[in-house]
Amino acid sequence: MQNAPLIDPFARPITYLRLSVTDRCDFRCTYCMSEAMQFLPRAELLTLEELDRLSSAFISLGVRKLRITGGEPLVRKGILTLFQSLSRHLASGALDDLTLTTNGSQLARYADDLAACGVRRINVSLDTLVRDKFAAITRWGKLAPVLDGIAAAKAAGIRVKINTVALKGFNEDELFSLTDWCAKEGHDLTFIEVMPMGEDMGDALRLGQYWPLTDLRARLASRYGMTDVPLRTGGPARYVRLDATGQHIGFITPLTHNFCESCNRVRATCTGQLYMCLGQNDMADLRAPLRASADDAPLIAAIRAAIARKPKGHDFDYSRASPAGTGAVKGQMPRHMSHTGG
Ligand code: SAM
Ligand code: SF4
């Protein structure tokens, strides 16, 4: 049954693919990349045609939501042609949602074209509204073009969700100003706990940056009043409504709340490696079957074999941090988020 849907060993249907189209980025966010990142040789990357073929194979197997990510997806040369060709799956009804996660730096240039491809909502990462702090956390980024990009997306009719990594001692003091700005602009807002990725790069330790969302949430509740809402968007976020503003706020809490039981997703890297879990090392190479034959049968067989070993969940846990001041965390992953596509 070539087209039977993908169901993993824990009876979870796999309906969501996150696809990284590049490991490169025009920023060097401190929690994501080291300043001197080594990037992959271009020949290792899947071509735009291969990325389309890979996505289309997943869509033929029941994937309904496709998120393009990276690295920074909008720095991949020719990226618009990928969106343009993938939009056929929206038109056919095979795909519900074609979206991307971006740092926003190139968004002003692409917003109208993305909207024309059927992109209805996007995630933009933004950790601060203060220019100098933005420059510090992204190392290479500038705030103004990102704000212009967000405005352009809104003007193009794309709904914007701001993703903010909660960073102790960095954006604690902007919790209310970020929330109020999103309320004023009509953007959704989700906070993310910093995850122990890529610790090997010897950068500021993720452990020292960890600001538990339980604390962040309590601060929001005391300022605005808060009601839990059952809203689920097919992702790991849990949502509340702020009583004072009516806005929905999401929390992605891999460390204080394990969301694996409802996991519906897999991640493909820009080299065609399929990670069945963000927090585990097991992966399947899809580039070889993709390149071995113009027929999709070997590719589909490789996808099925990979889904058949999707693990139950991740093991991140800051409370089990190792002793001796190593900063290492139980379940920590040596990969950078930009590698697996966040
Ligand atoms: N460049 C795009 C962007 O920044 O939105 C897409 C890729 S980025 C790797 C995807 C998301 O991962 C961003 O929202 C970023 O903030 C988040 N991220 C990166 N490293 C992280 C970490 N160590 N812990 C939690 N989130 C992280
Ligand atoms: Fe680039 Fe996104 Fe990583 Fe920042 S979080 S360095 S913008 S890939």
Side-chain angles (χ1 to χ4, degrees):
M1 273 259 288
Q2 180 144 331
N3 288 330
L6 296 170
I7 313 277
D8 82 356
F10 304 93
R12 297 171 296 194
I14 305 306
T15 55
Y16 180 9
L17 174 66
R18 300 171 69 103
L19 175 63
S20 173
V21 296
T22 178
D23 62 332
R24 288 162 200 258
C25 187
D26 51 348
F27 291 2
R28 292 289 182 279
C29 302
T30 56
Y31 49 75
C32 178
M33 292 193 182
S34 67
E35 199 150 17
M37 286 289 285
Q38 293 287 321
F39 293 112
L40 296 162
R42 285 183 205 277
E44 297 261 316
L45 263 56
L46 298 185
T47 64
L48 294 170
E49 293 73 23
E50 288 168 336
L51 290 166
D52 183 300
R53 225 182 114 200
L54 183 65
S55 306
S56 301
F58 274 96
I59 292 166
S60 78
L61 296 172
V63 160
R64 309 276 322 166
K65 176 171 174 179
L66 176 58
R67 177 176 301 280
I68 304 299
T69 178
E72 173 46 39
L74 297 182
V75 303
R76 173 85 195 240
K77 210 168 160 217
I79 188 65
L80 199 58
T81 59
L82 180 66
F83 278 98
Q84 283 161 343
S85 77
L86 290 172
S87 69
R88 72 187 185 280
H89 296 300
L90 289 172
S92 75
L95 194 63
D96 295 328
D97 201 0
L98 174 61
T99 184
L100 70 153
T101 299
T102 174
N103 65 23
S105 67
Q106 313 295 316
L107 202 48
R109 179 148 68 97
Y110 282 116
D112 286 339
D113 288 328
L114 289 170
C117 292
V119 173
R120 294 282 158 261
R121 51 199 193 91
I122 57 173
N123 291 356
V124 183
S125 304
L126 182 65
D127 302 327
T128 172
L129 288 167
V130 178
R131 193 187 55 187
D132 292 349
K133 284 167 73 179
F134 187 89
I137 198 78
T138 62
R139 291 203 191 96
W140 294 5
K142 288 199 168 65
L143 178 62
V146 171
L147 295 180
D148 289 347
I150 293 171
K154 182 178 163 183
I158 298 176
R159 190 155 180 88
V160 175
K161 178 159 78 80
I162 301 296
N163 276 346
T164 300
V165 178
L167 295 163
K168 193 165 154 187
F170 178 77
N171 54 13
E172 283 176 87
D173 59 341
E174 288 187 73
L175 177 60
F176 301 143
S177 50
L178 269 163
T179 304
D180 292 343
W181 178 76
C182 286
K184 177 166 76 71
E185 296 293 323
H187 304 318
D188 297 320
L189 173 60
T190 288
F191 293 99
I192 310 174
E193 278 175 350
V194 71
M195 286 180 247
M197 312 286 291
E199 199 84 43
D200 61 333
M201 61 191 172
D203 250 340
L205 296 177
R206 235 72 51 224
L207 193 56
Q209 297 176 313
Y210 176 48
W211 176 17
L213 292 193
T214 42
D215 175 61
L216 183 155
R217 188 184 158 121
R219 294 194 209 181
L220 282 178
S222 68
R223 166 108 173 185
Y224 299 96
M226 186 180 279
T227 310
D228 279 319
V229 289
L231 182 72
R232 298 302 304 270
T233 55
R238 297 288 187 277
Y239 291 89
V240 298
R241 191 176 54 248
L242 298 185
D243 298 336
T245 64
Q247 74 199 121
H248 284 135
I249 306 285
F251 302 102
I252 299 183
T253 54
L255 303 154
T256 53
H257 178 101
N258 195 304
F259 49 70
C260 303
E261 69 282 354
S262 59
C263 184
N264 60 353
R265 68 198 47 207
V266 287
R267 296 174 156 81
T269 70
C270 54
T271 57
Q273 295 174 331
L274 187 72
Y275 282 89
M276 287 71 83
C277 174
L278 180 63
Q280 303 284 356
N281 280 322
D282 188 28
M283 57 89 174
D285 173 30
L286 300 180
R287 189 177 59 186
L290 198 56
R291 291 189 173 168
S293 162
D295 176 7
D296 280 347
L299 172 64
I300 285 176
I303 293 173
R304 286 200 185 287
I307 300 299
R309 48 176 219 268
K310 183 169 158 70
K312 194 167 181 194
H314 66 70
D315 303 316
F316 294 147
D317 187 351
Y318 282 114
S319 67
R320 288 182 277 157
S322 70
T326 61
V329 171
K330 173 77 177 66
Q332 184 173 314
M333 296 305 304
R335 293 192 308 273
H336 290 167
M337 190 70 104
S338 56
H339 183 71
T340 0

